[in-house]
Amino acid sequence: MQAWQVHENGEPGEVMRLAEVARPTPGEGQVLLRVRAANINFPDILMCRGEYQIKPPLPFIPGAELCGETEDGRRVIGTVALPHGAFAEYALADAAALLPAPDMLDDAEAAALHIGYQTGWFGLHRRARLEAGETLLVHAAAGGVGSAAVQLGKAAGATVIGVVGGAEKAVVARELGCDVVVDRRSQDVVAAVKEATGGRGADVVYDPVGGDAYTQSARLVAFEGRIVVVGFASGTIPNPSLNHALVKNYAVLGLHWGLYNTKNPKLVQHCHEQLTELAARGAIKPLVSERVPLAGAATAVQRVADGVTTGRVTVLPSLTDGVAA
């Protein structure tokens, strides 16, 4: 089968190599899946660089999230069993971690429903306890993680403020449903959000960026607000000032969604049921901005790493130059 392998760490566009490799053999508790769609996530980039907390042995096949088909014909979604990732024609996954793909979503949308939306649901509902009528601020609102949080926030009845980088991304954020959009490239984020909230700030801040975005978050979080730390796409891990959290009376909440798969897998199943229901009534729908063939995976992963994409970019092995095979 064809698969992208990483033999050394570095930028995805430089270290991902397309090769002909043997189809993987499932171990105990694993299943072989034909990859129908593989979603690109930021952890894929970090794993290529050797910077993620999980470091699969070299060489490995990246691609953490997929919509796949079992040997008995079931369409499922889930995370892969590394080092046999989803940027390939076939991948391995733990049978216990697989979830049914929602019928109302196509393969690319179904693949994108898992990590980003599960992270958003756990971050907003389990950790921050977002309530209807509250104000939610989402950094990188037009990206894969941010777009999911925007939709989930709107579905929960929140007023959503989206922060984006550039005019094109501002358009996407508005289309996603943001009530207010702030372009950090042309606007003062702190001033714009304070103006939009009458000086109060946001009840919940969803931050997958870190760096300067976290500094802004601390200035913009409201009294008894909650900052949900989801990741550090900026490449800079902030050092929160706990005295500031004390004086301003807000909470900083960490979210490592992957831990729920081992600590409380039943809650992951419950979350999937909630997401499926939301998708069924049209309250959420993954934004898949690009669908690329397997041959274009490395270039696509690099574009996500460079921050020039919106929504989700998904690899479909059945595509040939953008046409279904």
Side-chain angles (χ1 to χ4, degrees), residues 256-289:
H256 179 188
W257 170 74
L259 282 179
Y260 287 96
N261 286 291
T262 54
K263 299 290 187 181
N264 195 343
K266 289 184 178 180
L267 198 55
V268 174
Q269 175 66 45
H270 171 70
C271 174
H272 181 66
E273 293 168 357
Q274 297 296 306
L275 294 175
T276 299
E277 181 181 342
L278 288 169
R281 58 185 174 91
I284 60 173
K285 185 178 179 66
L287 171 61
V288 180
S289 60

Side-chain angles (χ1 to χ4, degrees), residues 6 9-12 15-16 38-52 54 56 60-66 79-80 82 85-87 115 297 301-302 304-305 312-313 315:
V6 174
N9 294 127
E11 286 300 298
V15 300
M16 287 177 60
N39 193 39
I40 299 174
N41 288 276
F42 201 68
D44 299 321
I45 297 159
L46 295 179
M47 277 189 269
C48 286
R49 294 171 177 167
E51 297 174 352
Y52 196 55
I54 299 172
F60 69 92
I61 300 170
E65 175 182 45
L66 85 168
T79 52
V80 301
L82 293 168
F87 298 151
I115 295 176
V301 176
Q302 187 61 55
V304 174
R312 287 296 187 187
V313 180
V315 178

Side-chain angles (χ1 to χ4, degrees), residues 69-303:
E69 184 177 329
T70 62
E71 291 184 283
D72 59 1
R74 290 179 295 118
R75 200 171 68 110
V76 295
I77 64 172
T79 52
V80 301
L82 293 168
H84 302 288
F87 298 151
E89 293 179 298
Y90 289 85
L92 295 183
D94 292 330
L98 293 176
L99 300 164
D103 293 335
M104 72 293 302
L105 301 179
D106 66 23
D107 292 339
E109 293 165 343
L113 184 72
H114 194 49
I115 295 176
Y117 280 85
Q118 286 258 348
T119 298
W121 188 90
F122 275 91
L124 298 181
H125 294 292
R126 181 76 176 181
R127 302 293 284 137
R129 307 291 181 182
L130 179 69
E131 297 181 4
E134 288 191 313
T135 298
L136 167 66
L137 172 66
V138 179
H139 289 287
V145 173
S147 62
V150 168
Q151 292 185 357
L152 289 167
K154 291 299 295 181
T159 296
V160 180
I161 301 174
V163 179
V164 299
E168 292 183 6
K169 293 185 178 182
V171 172
V172 172
R174 291 189 186 95
E175 292 174 346
L176 285 166
C178 286
D179 299 282
V180 178
V181 177
V182 179
D183 184 351
R184 59 179 173 80
R185 293 184 180 175
S186 60
Q187 296 175 267
D188 182 316
V189 174
V190 174
V193 174
K194 285 188 174 181
E195 180 181 357
T197 59
R200 184 175 178 276
D203 298 290
V204 176
V205 181
Y206 192 79
D207 183 10
V209 179
D212 292 340
Y214 179 83
T215 302
Q216 296 165 351
S217 300
R219 296 180 62 187
L220 291 170
V221 65
F223 171 74
E224 291 194 330
R226 294 84 78 198
I227 300 174
V228 184
V229 179
V230 181
F232 313 105
S234 67
T236 301
I237 300 176
N239 293 307
S241 298
L242 296 184
N243 60 326
H244 189 262
L246 183 152
V247 171
K248 199 173 176 181
N249 206 43
Y250 63 86
V252 180
L253 306 170
L255 173 63
H256 179 188
W257 170 74
L259 282 179
Y260 287 96
N261 286 291
T262 54
K263 299 290 187 181
N264 195 343
K266 289 184 178 180
L267 198 55
V268 174
Q269 175 66 45
H270 171 70
C271 174
H272 181 66
E273 293 168 357
Q274 297 296 306
L275 294 175
T276 299
E277 181 181 342
L278 288 169
R281 58 185 174 91
I284 60 173
K285 185 178 179 66
L287 171 61
V288 180
S289 60
E290 298 179 49
R291 301 163 192 254
V292 301
L294 185 60
T299 300
V301 176
Q302 187 61 55
R303 293 184 69 248

